[in-house]
Amino acid sequence: MPGLGEILDGKGICICAGSGGVGKTTTSAAIASGMAARGLKVCVLTIDPAKRLADSLGLKELGNEAKQVDPKLFEAKGVEMKGELWAMMLDAKATFDELIARQAPDEEARDRVLNNRIYQQISSALAGSQEYMAMEKLFELHTEGRFDLLVLDTPPTRNALDFLDAPKRLTQFIEGRSLRVFMKPTGLAAKVAGRGASVALSVFKRIVGFDLLADLAEFFNAFSGMVDGFQARAKRVNQLLADRRTCFLVVCGPQGEPIDEAVYFHRKLVEAKLPFAGVIVNKVHYPAEDLRGDGGDLPATLAEKLGDEDLARRVEKNFGDYQALAERDARNIERLAKELSSRAVIRVPHLDEDVHDLAGLAEIDRYLFATSEERVAMAAGRA
Ligand SMILES: Nc1ncnc2c1ncn2[C@@H]1O[C@H](COP(=O)(O)OP(=O)(O)OP(=O)(O)O)[C@@H](O)[C@H]1O
Ligand SMILES: [Mg+2]
């Protein structure tokens, strides 16, 4: 089974997808720092990282621009950094604004959209806009060509597949029939704009605080000229996702449900002809070393070591529960590996503490980049 080093060899983009809370952000950061440590210039595009992780990457006062993580921070943790790690936090709203600025025919059209209250609402609230903007930023960074590898963390969507449809959904929204009605020269927009404020509209305006319909009309008129540009760009984003130098990694937990989801996600990616590369099963309970020694009596051994029979019984129960979890995880992962036949399934243990700094990422790195033999040895030995 290939390790992560082989999977990512020659790749320019790595997308980490998976359902909420499984460790996408952590894994993306660990993959990026691991590849950077091995000599590449890597940028990780994170979305909503835990504050402590963001702090430890030096991301706290970051805008919508990639910034290099200070190599001294790695040195301090004893990590040899042969390449460069860059990181940025996605700002969906700022990315949307940049996109408008790029698509607008002139500054006036740009400002009309950016200052429009409907746009201001939509750009931060439109369902899927965060997903779409993640793709957009990825595309932009890729086009600039400054990095050997881009690692994309994906937003916590309810369905791990949502983000794949995001560009399509946004263009469909803009193209949508209801909007066409607004944008036609004789459409509602023209009527509203032409008629001036009727009594009804001025009452409405007083209630909502601003002239909603006029804003809507203006928004769609300004947007109409950009639809083609949006579509063309969405098409290029889709091409980039399907490129052979792009790879998708699915991150999941070891419980039954996330595993089912990983299997489903794999199938969907294959159907969509997108380059699926493997699954990272995160937070796995590895079997603990047998405390019994040479087949001895566990409660007696524990009681002797702890000097307290009651405590010994509780520790034994805890140990039993943990072993049951580890066995369940192992069974689930076996099922997953079978489903995916030859594809990579990489396991990362549930560490004792949250992963919030470069040392934590380096610990995860050991498992992500281990060769198959190393992985077997680690799975057997880890408590
Ligand atoms: N292998 C691990 N061992 C222990 N803790 C972990 C591990 N991986 C991730 N965590 C912790 O689990 C929490 C969730 O991780 P993370 O933020 O990476 O998930 P996510 O998939 O990005 O979540 P969201 O879907 O909300 O964006 C974090 O507190 C992180 O430190
Ligand atoms: Mg996250």
Side-chain angles (χ1 to χ4, degrees):
M1 218 179 266
L4 203 52
E6 285 163 86
I7 291 176
L8 295 178
D9 188 29
K11 300 289 181 207
I13 292 179
C14 168
I15 299 174
C16 297
S19 46
V22 290
K24 296 177 296 292
T25 302
T26 309
T27 312
S28 312
I31 291 174
S33 71
M35 291 302 277
R38 286 162 181 78
L40 298 189
K41 184 170 176 188
V42 188
C43 180
V44 57
L45 175 46
T46 69
I47 295 166
D48 262 350
K51 192 176 175 311
R52 284 162 79 189
L53 179 64
D55 286 354
S56 64
L57 290 173
L59 287 177
K60 57 186 152 212
E61 72 296 324
L62 201 70
N64 206 23
E65 290 298 321
K67 195 171 129 186
Q68 187 176 5
V69 179
D70 188 350
K72 286 200 200 80
L73 294 174
F74 290 96
E75 239 169 70
K77 299 282 178 188
V79 177
E80 190 192 358
M81 178 50 66
K82 292 193 187 138
E84 292 175 19
L85 176 64
W86 291 63
M88 64 167 287
M89 216 187 304
L90 178 78
D91 180 339
K93 168 92 176 89
T95 306
F96 210 155
D97 291 353
E98 288 163 18
L99 183 61
I100 296 292
R102 210 174 292 122
Q103 300 293 338
D106 52 52
E107 282 181 18
E108 202 239 313
R110 178 198 68 194
D111 293 342
R112 261 199 302 150
V113 174
L114 295 185
N115 296 328
N116 185 285
R117 273 165 290 211
I118 304 297
Y119 169 75
Q120 286 166 0
Q121 290 299 317
I122 282 182
S123 57
S124 44
L126 181 66
S129 76
Q130 198 183 31
E131 288 94 325
Y132 181 73
M133 292 311 138
M135 298 289 158
E136 178 55 39
K137 199 73 199 175
L138 181 76
F139 182 71
E140 186 193 310
L141 287 170
H142 170 78
T143 312
E144 285 173 11
R146 291 157 59 203
F147 300 99
D148 301 319
L149 175 67
L150 298 169
V151 183
L152 177 71
D153 173 22
T154 53
T157 42
R158 208 163 26 86
N159 180 337
L161 289 166
D162 277 358
F163 76 93
L164 286 177
D165 291 330
K168 203 166 74 207
R169 264 187 288 141
L170 189 77
T171 44
Q172 274 171 352
F173 169 77
I174 296 169
E175 279 185 298
R177 212 178 242 227
S178 52
L179 302 195
R180 290 270 174 229
V181 172
F182 264 107
M183 292 188 301
K184 268 197 307 210
T186 53
L188 183 58
K191 287 191 190 130
V192 170
R195 194 191 300 153
S198 68
V199 177
L201 280 179
S202 65
V203 170
F204 192 65
K205 184 172 162 184
R206 241 181 291 138
I207 296 170
V208 297
F210 64 96
D211 200 341
L212 180 69
L213 285 181
D215 264 49
L216 261 175
E218 189 196 57
F219 169 69
F220 288 123
N221 274 332
F223 233 98
S224 62
M226 299 183 204
V227 172
D228 290 346
F230 265 98
Q231 273 172 329
R233 218 169 151 85
K235 201 162 153 205
R236 288 172 69 196
V237 170
N238 284 334
Q239 280 166 356
L240 180 63
L241 295 183
D243 194 89
R244 64 185 171 75
R245 289 194 64 227
T246 298
C247 70
F248 284 81
L249 289 172
V250 176
V251 185
C252 70
Q255 304 85 353
E257 210 177 284
I259 297 250
D260 289 342
E261 195 177 80
V263 170
Y264 170 77
F265 194 78
H266 165 247
R267 207 177 58 230
K268 284 288 172 188
L269 285 172
V270 171
E271 274 170 24
K273 299 197 168 54
L274 292 173
F276 169 85
V279 177
I280 294 169
V281 189
N282 189 27
K283 303 193 188 178
V284 175
H285 302 89
Y286 280 38
E289 274 174 89
D290 198 339
L291 298 177
R292 248 166 288 230
D294 297 330
D297 177 26
L298 182 57
T301 316
L302 280 174
E304 192 191 309
K305 282 195 178 150
L306 298 170
D308 178 338
E309 272 185 32
D310 185 42
L311 182 61
R313 257 195 304 278
R314 277 186 282 148
V315 171
E316 192 203 1
K317 161 123 189 21
N318 208 321
F319 178 68
D321 290 347
Y322 185 87
Q323 290 295 71
L325 269 182
E327 281 160 23
R328 180 209 64 181
D329 287 2
R331 273 196 308 275
N332 283 336
I333 292 166
E334 204 175 308
R335 184 162 65 86
L336 178 68
K338 240 188 231 150
E339 289 277 352
L340 305 182
S341 45
S342 61
R343 304 301 182 148
V345 177
I346 295 171
R347 290 188 285 178
V348 175
H350 197 306
L351 300 178
D352 297 335
E353 282 179 46
D354 268 6
V355 183
H356 50 70
D357 62 5
L358 298 178
L361 293 182
E363 176 69 7
I364 292 203
D365 176 295
R366 285 180 49 219
Y367 292 87
L368 288 177
F369 289 90
T371 60
S372 348
E373 300 85 63
E374 282 168 349
R375 270 187 260 152
V376 172
M378 286 193 284
R382 204 195 141 79

